[in-house]
Amino acid sequence: MTDFPVFDGHNDLVLRLLRGDVTADAVASGLSDGHIDKPRAQKGGFGGGFFAIFVPSPGDKAARHDEMRDPPYKIALPDQISEAVATDWTERGFDAMADLAAAGAIRICRTATEVEAALPAEEMAAVIHIEGAEAIDRDFEKLEAWHARGLRSLGPVWSRDTVWGHGVPFRYPSDPDVGPGLTDAGKALIRECNRLKIMVDLSHLNAKGVEDVARISDAPLVATHSNAWAVCPHSRNLTDRQLAMIRDSDGMVGINFASAFLRPDGRMDSEFDLDIVLRHFDHLVHCLGEDRVGLGSDFDGALVPDKIGDCAGLPSLLTALRSHGVDDGLMTKITHGNWLRILRQTWGE
């Protein structure tokens, strides 16, 4: 076990299972491609994180990435997903999480104490997250049922509109101030998440939606996989005003490894030095403080820097942070300590 196991803000491994790209047994044995499997996690000190259940939009993700290689770009929001379609994907997502646990790849965690205990284990600590809440019904019956099955984190939107609120487009240069805030239903969803102590994720939510969550929520504000707009002026990134709201709530931000959200030029190109990641790190620490910054890779959902590559490459980032002057105490906070603090505060432990 590494002295600094990484608890990560976001990954899309479950989507790869749902699409048939990989099996749970292959993730457990290492006979898989992508960014995450159990042997590579052990090699890289990837202790676990938030595993997203996500409903993909129709269309070719590779085509969107191609458009993002040549800034400026302005990619329209995908169409909304129906509740029925989203419910089917989400139910199968919970089944996929159970399959990963049965194969010995993950250990599903419902408390911060369980996460902390699992970080040194062979199985990855896994918190179930729903990214984009299209499957949730207005009466919140499914939210209650899925909470009982282990749901502990939820993002009201991905980068498309829902009945709850409005997402940010893939647009560079741009800022997240696009569209109206949460709907009345969305405001009710935030209150219900607070009641159940489900963490609310601000990533992908537009500026007015973030402001609404800040007014409504009684929990720390969290963006699981977002970066600093001041370094990369992309609509997916957080402005200093948003970072101030997160700081004032004693929340936190997980640094996203997606190349287009890291690079100051907004290009979807993975060939660059890790000093760009360090620029985001410095700005986030400056705005938020050392206790409110972590990692939120977006593994299996993004084109990550070549110098990280996959979860086995995390030591390259930790070495860069160490060379940047990060001592043991701050390294502990960045890799997992700050996430554990947020989980305890949000989940009421």
Side-chain angles (χ1 to χ4, degrees), residues 28 37-39 41-42 46-47 104-107 117-125:
D37 59 37
K38 182 177 172 181
Q42 292 172 342
F46 182 83
I106 66 171
R107 185 182 298 182
L119 284 178
E122 290 188 2
E123 303 91 349
M124 292 173 276

Side-chain angles (χ1 to χ4, degrees), residues 63-145:
R64 185 176 77 232
H65 279 195
D66 286 343
E67 288 187 64
M68 295 170 71
R69 286 185 177 276
D70 187 22
Y73 47 81
K74 185 177 180 180
I75 303 172
L77 287 170
D79 292 337
Q80 292 191 39
I81 299 291
S82 72
E83 183 181 327
V85 169
T87 297
D88 176 65
W89 278 87
T90 303
E91 287 284 1
R92 291 191 294 117
F94 275 93
D95 292 343
M97 291 291 291
D99 290 343
L100 286 169
I106 66 171
R107 185 182 298 182
I108 296 174
C109 300
R110 293 170 170 82
T111 68
T113 300
E114 290 177 354
V115 171
E116 187 170 25
L119 284 178
E122 290 188 2
E123 303 91 349
M124 292 173 276
V127 173
I128 300 176
H129 169 78
I130 288 179
E131 182 178 32
E134 289 97 337
I136 305 298
D137 58 285
R138 299 291 188 94
D139 294 327
F140 305 123
E141 291 180 1
K142 283 181 282 188
L143 187 68
E144 289 259 14

Side-chain angles (χ1 to χ4, degrees), residues 22 26-27 103 106 113 137 211 245 250 300 308 310 320 336 339:
V22 69
V27 173
I106 66 171
T113 300
D137 58 285
E211 291 171 9
M245 288 188 282
D250 202 17
D300 282 321
I308 297 175
D310 58 29
H336 60 276
W339 277 121

